[in-house]
């Protein structure tokens, strides 16, 4: 609790200061970002206006004095808006005619406007495929020769209403390219499975990220798509909104704990500002089998965040509608797997998960089982040594008394 | 792992062997032109000594091949850690039984010379089968290979000891045991640091990774076993020649093992067995799984991870004789055992709960391992009457192998489902449970 890398035991006199700092921070932090134990979470597909269904999913997580809104949409490239408000009564207002027009500004709003404490967005813009043969150097900057990338803005997405599950609070966007000359997606698809949570917990499926009521999990799965090469690696381009001229910061956290994701000691985070603020976190691991067993674990490389210079990112209408046209973006690439080892080619399956949320990112702690075993394992011999020492001491005393009497 | 017995014998001051007394300086071989060819001459004994050292080199080199190539094996054979650790378990299974019969086989069935040749033949065949399993992409064949390898491995060490006693008894025996032990450690170390490099070279020449690359690499590693086999042949020839010239008897282990003795073992002896098992299972399976741990948790490169994984061996090579002498001088074996256990506990906790440089923890583990080996094995001699000593040592090695086989499997299982932190906690519990004894 005292901050990473800062051992809090044995601090002595200076011990209160980090706590003080934390409590000051907590008081200073706006209500919407403080996080809550449980929330009333509702998933709603906002009905379209006319014509084909427009996938617009609204996740509303209501707490005692804050509301979080996650708005997912596959209009244009798949995108999500994160909005935190400091009132339990804020709501989403959609003006479809404006949202579907070429100038969608203000077509989508969270009201009342002055209750908004934090807002940002993520856009998933492109799916990359690399030819990794002859790329033995794992640490190389480029994972291989790049095939023509798939633009996710030019995908056809299924109707999200069909996959909406209010029991598990999840929904899946499943898509394939509108133009698929190589028929790569004939038997396959790219899926974005979104799940919200009403309380904290941990899924059964690796990498078992700890979630809270303030977070929302995204699982990206590529299934059954025919790769263009024998050893194709896939990658994903993600764009984020940056309010300041600088890009959001990327953090690599190293921990001692790999109980929930065996042999993965790292947690990557994207932070939009100083905490508490919006965050995205993930373990740098993807899986090439559905069970997510350890032998199917793929390393996940990440590029640095950079302003997209080379080309214009495809516009997401919901991001444009909420933030207006004067916005800056930063982008980063994720690459799954390496030229050696398990890969997508094994079973034509790839899945990767991330958590996005608002407030303080969830932190893993040592599990009760580990602590229990440690307590018993170290406590028992300690107690026995102590007991043995006492017995020896007492015996010695008796013995000496006995001697004295004689 | 059988070298502990060597240590024990070395420390006990000469072993229990009655054979090989006739190396007294009565040079019959005046006609022999050079000192090197004269069996009674020091130069000749040094030649024999180097052959003895290289006799064990192959088996130690190949024993830890799986640890050195853990990532490659798991990737190329597509096995999880549980299955990977079976490679170690299959080595240990035959030795649960063979520890009792190795001496018997050498003394009564084969004789020392043929025994050595047969056992080194077994490790050659085992390693070749192991490698073929890689080439044919058959993991069961690899397991079979390790089983055959295990059948020869531990017994070969007994044979090596017997040769040493036969040639050096009453002369430089302690030094010889020390050197053999160092050589064993060097074999393990060289393996840890060489195999990864060898794999990348084979990969470069074959053009890709995969089970064939793995198999070819293991096959090349098997050259060390052939070297051992050649040493066994040379030793058999020289030993026979010495017998002819010096009228020297064929060496015998002199081990008398009576399984019925087991029921007479005292409580302290059983405690020593348990301590032995609990300690060794927290060191060797960890080394078997260590490479990936250092690569993932501490971001070591493959070479650096191999280097640190072999540091326990590197340290114990020079330290074993030193600590042996030290424990001999001071006595108080129990105190030293407790110290070694406490140090190991600390080093495991450092590895589990801190991100400190793991070199500190591994060096600590190397030192404590050397200390424990020197202090624990001679303790058996204090609590067992001499005529039961052979049985006691055989039994100790047997339960140690049994423990290693079982814990190897459990360790792999834990790692696959719960990760390294939990595995370390499990090892800590193992080490700590000894204190409760």
């Amino acid at each position: 609790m005292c901050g990473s890398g800062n051992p809090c035991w044995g601090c002595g006199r200076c011990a209160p200061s980090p706590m003080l700092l934390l409590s000051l921070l907590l008081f200073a932090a706006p209500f919407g970002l403080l996080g809550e134990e449980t929330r009333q979470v509702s998933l709603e597909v906002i009905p379209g206006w006319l014509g084909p269904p427009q996938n617009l999913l609204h996740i509303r997580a209501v707490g005692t004095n804050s509301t979080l809104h996650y708005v997912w949409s596959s209009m244009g490239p798949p995108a999500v808006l994160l909005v935190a408000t400091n009132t339990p009564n804020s709501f989403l207002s959609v003006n479809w005619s404006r949202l579907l027009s070429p100038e969608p500004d203000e077509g989508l709003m969270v009201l009342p406007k002055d209750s908004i404490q934090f807002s940002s967005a993520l856009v998933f813009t492109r799916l990359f495929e690399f030819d990794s043969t002859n790329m033995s150097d794992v640490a190389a900057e480029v994972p291989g020769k790049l095939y023509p990338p798939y633009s996710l803005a030019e995908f056809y997405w299924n109707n999200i209403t069909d996959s909406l599950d209010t029991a598990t609070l999840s929904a899946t966007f499943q898509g394939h390219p509108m133009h698929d000359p190589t028929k790569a997606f004939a038997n396959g698809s790219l899926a974005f499975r979104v799940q919200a949570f009403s309380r904290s917990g941990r899924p059964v499926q690796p990498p078992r990220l700890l979630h809270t009521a303030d977070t929302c999990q995204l699982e990206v799965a590529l299934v059954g798509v025919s790769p263009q090469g024998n050893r194709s690696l896939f990658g994903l381009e993600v764009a984020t909104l940056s309010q300041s001229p600088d890009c959001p910061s990327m953090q690599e956290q190293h921990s001692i704990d790999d109980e929930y994701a065996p042999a993965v000691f790292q947690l990557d985070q994207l932070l939009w500002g100083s905490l508490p603020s919006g965050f995205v976190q993930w373990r740098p691991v993807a899986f090439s089998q559905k069970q997510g067993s350890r032998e199917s674990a793929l390393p996940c490389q990440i590029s640095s965040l950079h302003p997209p210079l080379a080309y214009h990112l495809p516009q997401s209408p919901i991001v444009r509608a909420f933030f207006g046209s004067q916005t800056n973006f930063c982008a980063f690439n994720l690459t799954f797997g390496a030229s050696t080892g398990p890969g997508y080619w094994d079973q034509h399956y790839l899945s990767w998960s991330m958590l996005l949320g608002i407030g303080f990112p969830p932190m893993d702690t040592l599990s009760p089982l580990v602590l229990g075993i440690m307590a018993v394992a170290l406590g028992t011999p300690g107690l026995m040594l102590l007991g043995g020492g006492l017995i020896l001491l007492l015996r010695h005393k008796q013995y000496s008394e006995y001697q004295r009497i004689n | 792992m059988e070298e502990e017995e060597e240590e024990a014998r070395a420390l006990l001051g000469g072993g229990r062997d009655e054979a090989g007394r006739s190396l007294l300086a009565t040079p019959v071989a005046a006609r022999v032109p050079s000192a090197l060819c004269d069996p009674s001459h020091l130069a000749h004994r040094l030649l024999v000594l180097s052959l003895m050292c290289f006799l064990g080199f192959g088996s130690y080199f190949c024993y830890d091949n799986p640890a050195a190539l853990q990532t490659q094996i798991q990737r190329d054979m597509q096995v999880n850690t549980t299955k990977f650790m079976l490679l170690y378990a299959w080595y240990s299974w035959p030795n649960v039984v063979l520890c009792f019969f190795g001496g018997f086989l050498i003394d009564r069935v084969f004789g020392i010379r043929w025994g050595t040749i047969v056992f080194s033949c077994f490790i050659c065949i085992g390693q070749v089968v192991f490698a073929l399993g890689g080439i044919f992409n058959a993991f069961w064949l690899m397991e079979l290979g390790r089983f055959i390898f295990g059948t020869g491995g531990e017994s070969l060490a007994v044979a090596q000891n017997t040769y040493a006693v036969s040639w050096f008894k009453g002369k430089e025996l302690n030094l010889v045991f020390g050197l053999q032990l160092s050589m064993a450690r060097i074999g393990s170390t060289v393996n840890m640091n060489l195999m990864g490099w060898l794999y990348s070279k084979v990969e470069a020449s074959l053009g890709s990774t995969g089970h064939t690359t793995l198999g070819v690499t293991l096959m090349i590693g098997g050259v060390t076993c052939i070297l051992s086999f050649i040493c066994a042949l040379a030793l058999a020839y020289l030993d026979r020649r010495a017998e002819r010239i010096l009228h020297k008897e064929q060496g015998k282990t002199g081990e008398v093992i009576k399984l019925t003795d087991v029921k007479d073992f005292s409580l302290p002896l059983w405690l020593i067995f348990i301590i032995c098992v609990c300690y060794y299972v927290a060191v060797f399976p960890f080394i078997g799984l260590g490479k990936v741990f250092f690569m993932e948790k501490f971001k070591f490169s493959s070479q650096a991870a191999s280097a640190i994984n072999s540091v326990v061996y590197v340290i114990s090579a020079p330290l074993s004789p030193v600590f042996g002498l030290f424990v001999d001088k001071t006595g108080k074996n129990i105190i030293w055992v407790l110290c070694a256990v406490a140090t190991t506990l600390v080093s495991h906790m450092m590895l589990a709960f801190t991100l400190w440089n793991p070199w500190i923890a591994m060096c600590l583990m190397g030192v404590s391992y050397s200390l424990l080996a020197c202090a624990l094995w001679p303790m058996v001699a204090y609590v067992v009457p001499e005529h039961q000593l052979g049985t006691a040592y055989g039994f100790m090695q047997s339960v140690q192998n049994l423990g290693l086989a079982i814990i190897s499997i459990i360790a792999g299982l834990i790692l696959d489902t719960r990760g390294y932190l939990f595995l370390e906690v499990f090892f800590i519990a193992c080490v700590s449970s000894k204190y409760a004894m």
Side-chain angles (χ1 to χ4, degrees):
Chain A
M1 279 274 87
C2 298
S4 61
N6 214 357
C8 49
W9 27 268
C11 290
R13 217 153 37 85
C14 65
S17 67
M19 283 311 291
L20 199 71
L21 225 103
L22 195 71
S23 51
L24 273 178
L25 201 70
L26 285 178
F27 279 117
F31 259 149
L33 304 181
L34 275 185
E36 307 212 9
E37 284 281 299
T38 58
R39 288 179 186 273
Q40 282 287 337
V41 179
S42 60
L43 266 72
E44 184 192 6
V45 178
I46 311 273
W49 191 40
L50 280 173
Q54 303 292 338
N55 281 336
L56 189 63
L57 173 72
H58 178 215
I59 299 172
R60 187 161 179 264
V62 185
T64 43
N65 43 25
S66 65
T67 309
L68 305 180
H69 300 268
Y70 295 96
V71 184
W72 292 85
S73 171
S74 60
M75 285 185 274
V80 57
L81 297 179
L82 302 80
V83 183
T85 61
N86 62 0
T87 155
N89 303 317
S90 61
F91 62 95
L92 181 75
S93 123
V94 183
N95 180 343
W96 277 105
S97 61
R98 188 167 286 208
L99 187 60
L100 294 175
S101 74
E103 298 276 324
D105 301 37
E106 305 219 317
L108 191 143
M109 287 183 289
V110 171
L111 298 173
K113 256 189 166 170
D114 57 355
S115 69
I116 295 176
Q117 304 289 318
F118 173 84
S119 60
S120 193
L122 273 188
V123 187
F124 301 88
T125 44
R126 292 191 291 179
L127 177 72
F128 296 120
E129 185 176 350
F130 302 93
D131 177 15
S132 75
T133 42
N134 306 325
M135 296 298 296
S136 51
D137 188 7
V138 182
E141 271 294 299
V142 190
K145 192 174 104 287
L146 182 65
Y147 292 109
Y150 298 100
S151 169
L152 300 188
E154 289 153 27
F155 265 48
Y156 175 82
W157 300 92
N158 69 334
N159 187 350
I160 192 162
T161 320
D162 302 336
S163 63
L164 186 72
D165 184 348
T166 45
T168 58
L169 301 175
S170 68
T172 308
F173 295 85
Q174 201 165 23
H176 54 84
M178 290 171 189
H179 312 288
D180 188 14
T182 57
K183 295 270 179 279
F185 279 72
N187 296 317
S189 67
L190 175 69
F192 286 76
R193 182 170 182 268
V194 177
Q195 189 174 14
F197 309 98
S198 54
R199 57 175 53 80
S200 68
R202 203 184 283 279
V204 188
Q205 200 75 354
R208 308 197 61 194
L209 286 164
L210 177 68
H211 56 72
T212 65
D214 309 326
T215 61
C216 183
Q217 182 176 284
L218 169 69
E219 185 194 344
V220 181
L222 186 70
V223 186
V225 174
S226 321
Q228 295 176 54
N230 285 334
R231 296 181 91 79
S232 279
L233 301 184
F234 286 90
L236 195 63
E237 182 183 58
V238 186
T240 83
L241 196 71
S242 67
Q243 277 101 343
S244 61
D246 299 327
C247 286
S249 62
M250 194 77 87
Q251 266 188 358
E252 281 182 5
Q253 282 189 347
H254 294 271
S255 78
I256 59 160
D257 192 356
D258 68 333
E259 189 180 349
Y260 300 106
V264 182
F265 292 91
Q266 194 180 323
L267 186 72
D268 291 349
Q269 282 184 340
L270 177 82
L271 302 173
W272 272 289
S274 57
L275 290 173
S277 89
F279 63 87
V280 182
Q281 73 172 201
W282 65 90
R283 295 243 181 218
V285 64
F287 296 96
S288 65
Q289 284 171 24
K290 209 169 168 66
Q291 308 88 317
S293 55
R294 209 170 80 81
E295 64 266 28
S296 71
L298 314 175
C300 163
Q301 273 98 31
I302 179 165
S303 75
S304 57
L305 268 167
H306 54 85
L309 300 170
Y311 87 118
H312 286 287
L313 287 169
Q315 285 272 336
S316 163
I318 60 163
V319 176
R320 173 84 188 272
F322 189 86
F323 291 99
S325 56
Q326 298 299 313
T327 44
N328 296 319
F329 283 93
C330 289
F332 63 94
N333 297 338
L334 292 153
T335 315
F336 310 111
S339 58
T340 55
Y344 178 77
W345 51 82
D346 291 334
Q347 302 201 347
H348 288 193
Y349 182 90
L350 177 78
S351 91
W352 171 77
S353 308
M354 70 174 213
L355 205 66
L356 69 168
I358 298 168
F360 290 100
M363 295 276 280
D364 272 329
T365 47
L366 293 181
S367 72
L369 191 58
V370 166
L371 291 176
I373 294 176
M374 285 305 292
V376 173
L378 295 181
T380 320
L383 281 178
M384 288 181 85
L385 275 181
L386 207 72
L390 275 178
I391 288 170
L392 277 180
L393 212 74
L394 287 176
R395 266 200 192 161
H396 185 74
K397 224 175 171 180
Q398 277 174 1
Y399 182 67
S400 54
E401 273 168 14
Y402 179 70
Q403 284 242 319
R404 195 159 46 87
I405 289 163
N406 265 320
Chain B
M1 258 129 279
E2 59 286 356
E3 65 280 357
E4 283 73 35
E5 184 161 7
E6 304 163 21
E7 285 159 7
R9 286 192 192 171
L11 296 163
L12 286 170
R16 310 171 296 282
D17 203 309
E18 296 305 315
R21 279 162 301 179
S22 43
L23 268 176
L24 300 167
T26 45
V28 198
R31 289 156 299 179
V32 179
S34 97
L36 209 60
C37 299
D38 177 1
S40 64
H41 205 280
L42 178 69
H44 185 81
R45 285 210 308 279
L46 286 181
L47 173 73
V48 170
L49 172 62
S50 60
L51 285 175
M52 281 179 200
C53 287
F54 278 104
L55 177 66
F57 185 82
S59 84
Y60 286 101
F61 184 92
C62 294
Y63 169 76
D64 263 331
N65 270 352
L69 293 173
Q70 187 192 349
T71 38
Q72 287 91 338
I73 289 175
Q74 289 195 243
R75 185 182 69 207
D76 295 343
M77 305 304 292
Q78 302 197 345
V79 290
N80 57 21
T81 319
T82 317
K83 280 186 122 181
F84 167 79
M85 286 309 276
L86 279 178
L87 293 177
Y88 278 101
W90 276 113
Y91 176 89
S92 293
W93 289 127
N95 293 306
V96 175
V97 177
L98 275 176
C99 288
F100 292 111
F101 299 110
F104 173 79
L105 286 176
I106 289 172
D107 288 352
R108 304 284 169 81
V109 183
F110 297 121
I112 172 71
R113 289 163 213 150
W114 278 109
T116 314
I117 293 171
V118 167
F119 294 140
S120 59
C121 220
F122 265 103
I123 66 164
C124 285
I125 296 170
Q127 180 70 10
V128 168
V129 172
F130 183 48
L132 283 178
I135 290 172
F136 294 130
N137 197 13
F139 195 72
W140 65 267
L141 205 58
M142 293 183 98
E143 291 174 337
L144 179 69
R146 288 293 284 186
F147 180 82
I148 300 172
F149 185 78
T151 316
E154 305 271 312
S155 307
L156 187 65
V158 177
Q160 198 186 6
N161 290 346
T162 314
Y163 261 133
V165 172
S166 146
W167 279 80
F168 292 94
K169 187 159 190 207
K171 294 209 164 63
E172 306 91 356
L173 191 60
N174 280 317
L175 181 71
V176 168
F177 275 130
L179 279 176
Q180 281 187 353
L181 188 59
S182 299
M183 197 61 186
R185 295 294 173 234
I186 291 168
S188 304
T189 312
V190 170
N191 158 64
M192 287 284 187
N193 294 292
L194 188 74
M195 288 309 276
W197 173 83
L198 189 62
Y199 184 94
S200 62
K201 287 290 158 203
V202 174
E203 182 192 328
S205 63
L206 288 183
S208 73
T209 62
H211 55 89
T212 320
T213 313
L214 179 70
V216 171
T217 309
L218 290 173
M219 202 62 101
I220 296 173
V223 169
T224 55
C225 292
I226 306 281
L227 189 73
S228 290
F229 182 64
I230 294 170
C231 286
L233 290 178
L235 271 175
Y237 169 73
L238 289 179
D239 198 55
R240 243 191 100 189
R241 188 166 159 272
E243 184 185 2
R244 224 177 40 234
I245 298 172
L246 299 179
H247 307 290
K248 166 181 164 301
E249 277 176 49
Q250 182 161 257
K252 287 219 163 98
T253 64
E255 268 180 25
V256 188
I257 291 188
K258 273 169 70 188
L259 286 176
T260 46
D261 285 350
V262 172
K263 67 179 190 318
D264 300 327
F265 284 170
S266 58
L267 181 69
L269 187 61
W270 285 106
L271 288 182
I272 291 177
F273 289 161
I274 295 169
I275 292 175
C276 170
V277 171
C278 289
Y279 188 86
Y280 281 90
V281 297
V283 173
F284 287 100
F286 173 72
I287 292 176
L289 291 169
K291 194 177 170 190
V292 172
F293 176 68
F294 295 116
M295 285 166 76
E296 294 296 335
K297 181 164 180 181
F298 299 100
K299 302 286 164 206
F300 275 35
S301 70
S302 180
Q303 282 92 349
S306 298
I308 188 170
N309 208 21
S310 60
V311 82
V312 171
Y313 295 140
V314 173
I315 288 178
S316 77
L319 273 191
S320 293
V322 177
F323 275 140
L325 211 64
F326 177 68
V327 174
D328 271 352
K329 287 270 179 239
T330 57
K332 300 198 174 51
N333 289 41
I334 294 182
I335 304 283
W336 294 123
V337 168
L338 284 179
C339 280
V341 171
T343 327
T344 310
L345 200 60
V346 170
S347 76
H348 266 304
M349 283 175 68
M350 277 162 73
L351 288 171
F353 296 110
T354 69
L355 287 168
W356 297 348
N357 195 329
W359 281 99
I360 308 169
M362 288 306 278
C363 290
L364 214 56
M365 197 187 288
V367 171
S368 62
Y369 165 70
S370 318
L371 183 59
L372 182 110
C374 293
L376 183 67
W377 289 80
M379 262 167 75
V380 175
Y382 298 143
V383 295
V384 171
E386 192 164 343
H387 68 275
Q388 289 181 350
L389 211 53
T391 316
Y393 275 121
F395 197 78
M396 190 152 161
Q397 275 183 295
S398 171
V399 289
Q400 188 191 337
N401 274 297
L402 185 68
L404 283 174
I406 293 170
I407 299 293
S408 292
I409 296 172
I410 295 178
L413 205 65
I414 290 179
L415 177 56
D416 273 339
T417 53
R418 291 277 179 169
Y420 273 106
L421 179 75
F422 202 89
L423 184 66
E424 278 291 339
V425 169
F426 171 72
F427 285 148
I428 288 169
C430 276
V431 176
S432 188
S433 63
K434 285 197 303 280
Y435 261 121
M437 293 298 152

